[in-house]
Amino acid sequence: MILIVGGAGYIGSHVNKVLNEKGYDTLILDNFSYGHQELVQWGEVVEGDLGDGELLDRIFQEYPITGVMHFAAFTYVGESVTHPAKYYHNNTSNTLNLLRSMIKNKVRNFIFSSTCAVYGFPEKIPLTEDHPLDPINPYGRSKLMVEQMLHDFSQAYDFNYISLRYFNAAGCDPEIETGEWHEPETHLIPLILDAARGIRDKVSIFGTDYPTPDGTCIRDYIHVLDLASAHIKAMEYLEKNNKSQIFNLGNGQGFSVREVIECCRKVTGKNIQAVDEDRRPGDPPVLLGSSKKAKELLDWKVEWVELEDIITSAWKWHEKLYQELKTR
Ligand code: UDP
């Protein structure tokens, strides 16, 4: 049985769905601070907090957990700058709690949701796993500290991990059983889709003077189901090889903010208003990853190659979510 910490969130709920489809038993641990009950449709659930060491020990003693996937983190970069204590407490210190309990209860396989934010400003594109690590905000540092702990734990204890450095997760389950539901929403694609539905009157373009072809930031958008398949391959790799690894997970293609907005206009058929604004602090001009290592060692491949398909899957989910929220 796999313990999915934060399984009621965007990425965790998609991984939970795919694990169940593949025949795994899952147990979700979530405190529902940002996660949603509605997104937990597979496996068993325990409501609780990672700060609760007794609860963690109880879970490992009562359930036949063979591996842990850890998605429970705060991810708002701007908030991490104004409230760093919240990020170091939840993302770093609570993860230490979880790792301690795993060691104590002899659970050795751990998959960690890391981020391309651990790199900071890229010196070379595409980013590879050996690029220097110099995060530029507390969010990235809170995740890098966990990666450092993981390394030390794997040296000292009978413990193996895979750290997955995600680029920009996007898209939703095409069967629209789960999807992206952040409150507040700060991510580009859902904000554009809100503008398409008329929930917002416009979308802001943060920075138009970057050194990129159209002046807006370039990001690497990877479908959440491609992330999910990588998690399953990573867990299988740990079970087979007992070897810790770090992998980038990206699509390998870059799209500018303007290109993403244009693609959303095409997919939705709506006239989405976009306004140029100042840069958002802490945004590198280009984040683009090489996932060569994951493809080679995990035999993983990106199925959702086209941005248009990724956005179409997100649009379907956002329409459903909006209809449901409207009728509440
Ligand atoms: N962005 C934007 N307008 C928005 C939200 C985001 O122009 O309302 C830009 C942001 O500056 C970045 C890109 O879109 O260059 C992706 O941002 P997002 O917050 O989705 O993900 P991040 O790259 O911060 O993880």
Side-chain angles (χ1 to χ4, degrees):
M1 179 178 248
I2 307 290
L3 174 65
I4 308 180
V5 184
Y10 169 42
I11 302 172
S13 68
H14 284 82
V15 175
N16 185 27
K17 174 171 174 164
V18 177
L19 277 169
N20 279 272
E21 280 171 357
K22 298 234 176 254
Y24 285 87
D25 290 328
T26 57
L27 176 68
I28 309 302
L29 172 65
D30 207 295
N31 66 4
F32 296 101
S33 62
Y34 284 99
H36 297 276
Q37 293 275 5
E38 294 89 331
L39 303 187
V40 185
Q41 299 188 38
W42 308 270
E44 292 184 50
V45 191
V46 171
E47 180 166 356
D49 200 90
L50 277 185
D52 186 347
E54 281 176 21
L55 172 69
L56 293 172
D57 285 347
R58 231 179 21 249
I59 287 175
F60 289 123
Q61 283 151 23
E62 281 176 20
Y63 293 87
I65 307 290
T66 54
V68 178
M69 296 187 182
H70 177 29
F71 300 92
F74 295 149
T75 59
Y76 297 114
V77 170
E79 185 189 51
S80 80
V81 176
T82 50
H83 295 85
K86 183 173 170 183
Y87 279 70
Y88 290 117
H89 176 71
N90 186 64
N91 295 4
T92 314
S93 161
N94 276 350
T95 302
L96 174 59
N97 238 12
L98 172 63
L99 296 176
R100 270 200 176 123
S101 183
M102 285 180 67
I103 301 299
K104 189 169 152 192
N105 293 285
K106 302 192 170 24
V107 178
R108 66 205 299 231
N109 292 334
F110 186 72
I111 311 284
F112 179 58
S113 299
S114 190
T115 164
C116 61
V118 296
Y119 295 116
F121 281 105
E123 288 171 8
K124 209 170 130 241
I125 291 290
L127 287 151
T128 47
E129 290 83 355
D130 56 1
H131 184 280
L133 304 174
D134 190 12
I136 53 171
N137 51 58
Y139 166 66
R141 283 190 280 275
S142 75
K143 290 279 185 173
L144 179 55
M145 283 180 189
V146 173
E147 286 203 1
Q148 290 165 333
M149 287 195 297
L150 290 172
H151 171 77
D152 294 340
F153 274 48
S154 71
Q155 301 294 304
Y157 309 119
D158 179 20
F159 175 84
N160 293 311
Y161 71 94
I162 290 185
S163 185
L164 298 174
R165 293 178 180 158
Y166 310 155
F167 283 73
N168 286 58
C172 300
D173 168 27
E175 288 159 4
I176 54 175
E177 290 182 299
T178 185
E180 183 167 21
W181 183 0
H182 293 118
E183 283 168 312
E185 187 51 82
T186 62
H187 295 104
L188 181 64
I189 293 174
L191 287 175
I192 304 172
L193 297 180
D194 278 352
R197 274 200 327 258
I199 296 177
R200 291 170 203 269
D201 53 1
K202 57 183 175 10
V203 60
S204 303
I205 299 177
F206 293 146
T208 54
D209 58 351
Y210 284 100
T212 59
D214 70 13
T216 66
C217 285
I218 292 176
R219 293 289 179 273
D220 176 336
Y221 295 90
I222 173 88
H223 197 281
V224 66
L225 285 181
D226 282 327
L227 291 181
S229 67
H231 283 74
I232 288 147
K233 292 205 173 247
M235 190 53 92
E236 288 167 358
Y237 178 95
L238 278 186
E239 281 161 5
K240 197 162 145 213
N241 299 286
N242 289 324
K243 189 164 180 248
S244 298
Q245 291 285 3
I246 295 175
F247 296 114
N248 281 341
L249 295 181
N251 196 327
Q253 305 180 70
F255 292 96
S256 72
V257 174
R258 287 199 201 285
E259 285 172 332
V260 175
I261 295 172
E262 205 40 57
C263 190
C264 289
R265 288 189 179 119
K266 187 169 170 211
V267 166
T268 63
K270 308 276 183 188
N271 176 25
I272 300 160
Q273 199 198 336
V275 288
D276 295 353
E277 303 219 8
D278 289 345
R279 292 182 180 197
R280 190 175 69 174
D283 268 341
V286 181
L287 282 175
L288 187 60
S290 162
S291 302
K292 192 165 169 269
K293 188 178 167 194
K295 286 175 184 157
E296 283 174 6
L297 293 190
L298 296 180
D299 189 29
W300 172 69
K301 75 173 196 287
V302 174
E303 303 281 351
W304 291 74
V305 177
E306 302 297 330
L307 183 65
E308 200 175 317
D309 294 337
I310 296 176
I311 290 176
T312 301
S313 73
W315 176 235
K316 274 203 222 165
W317 162 260
H318 280 85
E319 284 192 308
K320 170 177 158 163
L321 181 66
Y322 177 60
Q323 287 309 325
E324 281 181 10
L325 293 180
K326 220 170 48 173
T327 52
R328 273 193 190 171

